[in-house]
Structures are given as C-alpha cells and as structure tokens.
Amino acid sequence: MVEIATRKQPNRYPWEDKKQSGIYRFFDGLEKGKLLSTKCKRCHHFNWPPMIVCTKCLSDQVLWRELPKGGQIIAYSLSYIGNSQHPELICTIELSNGLRMLGRIIGSKYKDLSYGLKVTRKNVGLVEGRPFWTYELVGRSKSKEGKTVTQSR
C-alpha cells in the first residue's frame, strides 16, 4: 500500500508553483484530496490532463472543477511499475462525465476485473511529489464464507 501524504517541502517541480504555471491548482487540489481539472466556460469541454487553454475551442476561459469520483472500467491490465516485483492493476476509467483517464485499482485481483464494472475513486494525493490516485470496485462485500463478492453487470 502506498502512503499518500501532503506536501511538507517546497515545490519540487516548476509546474507546481503559482508563479511558474497555470496548473498549480491541480497540485493544490491533490494536497486537499481532490482531483481537479479544467472545464471550458465557452464550450463546456472538460480537459484531461488540466490545461490553461481549452483543447477543443482554444478558449483561455477555463474553470477549475473536481472530477467525478465514479466511473466504469473500459480497459485494464497488469503493469510492473519501476523495479516493483508486484504488478499493479491499471485501468482506463470512463468517468460519469465521459472523460477517460488511467487509474490504479486497489483491493481487487486481476481475475475480479471485467469491462463495465463500476469503480469509485478512493485516494488522491502526492507520492514523492508525483500525482497519485486509486480506484476500487463499487459493491464489493464479503460473503458468509469470507470470499469477496463483486457486483454483477
């Protein structure tokens, strides 16, 4: 399990600094446990990753909004990250607003996953100065035998 902590040191990267970058709010949101991105005032398009200019209509009139916590799995894979001996479950999640993003799945095994399963965001923060968030399956419960039962599609 990765420990998610708030920033206790000065900004590590220039894009985290208000003086250097228009996306510093993304990092501020992570510190507060929120996953933020920008939404265009003109065409209402959500940008991911956050941008200071709308990627659809090129307007610079963007608002900062928290991304929905819920979504569904549209693709998934096991991934060995860095020197890890333990693979991580990485999924493409389609959020309830239609935006797609990558996320780690926690509390499940690869065999538990399938397309269309509902997920909810569990953790958000910075790990060693890097953005980090996790998801877990919705509707997981323990049966009388102690086995994990997942939602039906």
Side-chain angles (χ1 to χ4, degrees):
M1 174 91 145
V2 176
E3 184 176 328
I4 297 177
T6 58
R7 225 183 304 173
K8 294 180 182 167
Q9 59 188 20
N11 298 335
R12 292 174 49 143
Y13 304 104
W15 53 82
E16 295 179 56
D17 189 345
K18 183 176 184 176
K19 295 175 187 173
Q20 299 286 329
S21 174
I23 65 163
Y24 71 92
R25 289 184 181 131
F26 173 69
F27 293 93
D28 290 347
L30 290 171
E31 284 185 335
K32 296 172 185 165
K34 295 182 178 185
L35 189 56
L36 304 175
S37 195
T38 52
K39 182 176 181 180
C40 181
K41 283 172 92 172
R42 184 186 299 164
C43 73
H44 308 287
H45 175 71
F46 257 105
N47 292 298
W48 183 256
M51 303 281 179
I52 59 171
V53 173
C54 177
T55 57
K56 187 172 181 183
C57 74
L58 303 180
S59 170
D60 64 354
Q61 300 298 307
V62 295
L63 303 167
W64 285 90
R65 297 288 182 254
E66 186 171 6
L67 294 176
K69 293 182 190 230
Q72 67 178 354
I73 295 173
I74 60 171
Y76 58 95
S77 179
L78 283 175
S79 180
Y80 288 88
I81 298 173
N83 291 330
S84 174
Q85 298 298 315
H86 305 285
E88 299 211 32
L89 294 173
I90 305 296
C91 293
T92 302
I93 311 282
E94 183 172 64
L95 300 177
S96 59
N97 67 355
L99 191 71
R100 292 180 175 186
M101 64 187 308
L102 294 176
R104 289 177 172 88
I105 299 291
I106 59 171
S108 296
K109 295 183 180 183
Y110 185 80
K111 65 181 177 120
D112 296 335
L113 302 182
S114 65
Y115 303 107
L117 286 178
K118 303 284 185 208
V119 295
T120 188
R121 195 168 54 247
K122 190 69 175 167
N123 300 306
V124 174
L126 292 167
V127 174
E128 298 176 3
R130 294 186 179 117
F132 186 87
W133 51 88
T134 61
Y135 286 85
E136 69 179 1
L137 296 178
V138 172
R140 293 179 54 92
S141 62
K142 296 281 184 180
S143 69
K144 292 178 185 176
E145 297 82 29
K147 295 181 180 176
T148 301
V149 179
T150 59
Q151 63 188 325
S152 59
R153 283 174 276 179

